[in-house]
Amino acid sequence: MSSTEEIAPRPLAPGLLRLDGISRATMEAQHRVYAAAVAKRNEIVAALAAADRDAAHHLYSPYRELKLELTSALAEVKGHEVFFGHLGGAGGDPAGAFARLADHAFGSVGAWRDDFRATAMASRGWAFAAYDWDERRLANHIGEQGAAPVWNATPLVALDVCEHAYAIDYQTDRTSYVDAFLENVDWDVVNGWIAAYAIPL
Ligand SMILES: [Fe+2]
């Protein structure tokens, strides 16, 4: 695979158009935002292949700008893929493997959820619950301005709190949107990721 190979947006699963409390219009908008990020990723990768590496400079250079925007575009691509991947479930309190990670790191599922909700309210972009392979524990992080929240951590829950995620359904009421999100997470999917990544419990 060459480094300039294009990626394609994943299709929106039909079940994601029938969520409780998150409208079809919102999810269609989400998919447009995601598909645009995929297209920008492809455009930037192609531009990088043609850009002058010898002119790369940390104060300003096309190479610098393209590399920064590639990080930004990829963060949107990856965030939305996790977001879409774990919606469409019954929500509620997590059980099984994720609950064990939450218990271990936060003392209880409720304490994890309280911190995750606060993380979402404090963010200008994304809230992630990720397993940190160095600390060997679950942690909640803000993801903003395209940057991955931390290295060597695997996202297990990704909550989009950009305006397009909730303005259609809730105007400025982000709290209600966060509640709706948590009522649509498919914890079986999340637990499947924990198993697939061989995250130790
Ligand atoms: Fe989004």
Side-chain angles (χ1 to χ4, degrees):
M1 181 170 134
S2 86
S3 62
T4 58
E5 189 168 310
E6 293 197 345
I7 62 171
R10 300 176 187 176
L12 192 62
L16 296 189
L17 299 175
R18 298 188 296 272
L19 301 177
D20 283 338
I22 302 176
S23 66
R24 177 186 184 111
T26 290
M27 294 308 289
E28 288 175 340
Q30 284 282 23
H31 198 261
R32 286 195 297 275
V33 168
Y34 161 64
V38 169
K40 282 297 175 189
R41 176 269 181 208
N42 290 336
E43 185 181 335
I44 294 164
V45 166
L48 274 167
D52 183 358
R53 289 189 175 85
D54 294 336
H57 193 279
H58 66 278
L59 292 180
Y60 166 72
S61 59
Y63 215 76
R64 170 183 166 78
E65 302 308 317
L66 288 165
K67 281 287 186 182
L68 287 173
E69 301 307 347
L70 180 60
T71 302
S72 182
L74 279 175
E76 290 302 307
V77 170
K78 291 171 183 289
H80 283 96
E81 288 179 351
V82 177
F83 178 75
F84 293 139
H86 63 13
L87 285 178
D93 277 341
F98 187 87
R100 289 184 63 179
L101 292 176
D103 271 341
H104 172 72
F106 292 89
S108 69
V109 164
W112 166 78
R113 189 178 51 235
D114 288 347
D115 186 72
F116 186 72
R117 290 165 59 100
T119 305
M121 295 308 292
S123 176
R124 298 174 187 167
W126 292 82
F128 294 104
Y131 181 78
D132 187 312
W133 290 90
D134 301 311
E135 296 189 9
R136 302 180 71 81
R137 68 190 291 277
L138 188 71
N140 294 326
H141 295 288
I142 285 174
E144 281 183 8
Q145 298 186 325
V150 286
W151 289 106
N152 206 22
T154 300
L156 296 172
V157 182
L159 169 52
D160 189 344
V161 289
C162 297
E163 274 192 8
H164 67 255
Y166 61 92
I168 293 172
D169 299 328
Y170 296 99
Q171 289 83 48
T172 58
D173 181 9
R174 189 190 293 189
T175 304
S176 294
Y177 161 71
V178 171
D179 288 342
F181 168 84
L182 289 168
E183 288 307 311
N184 286 281
V185 173
D186 189 333
W187 292 111
D188 289 340
V189 169
V190 176
N191 288 337
W193 291 339
I194 292 168
Y197 296 135
I199 291 172
L201 300 175

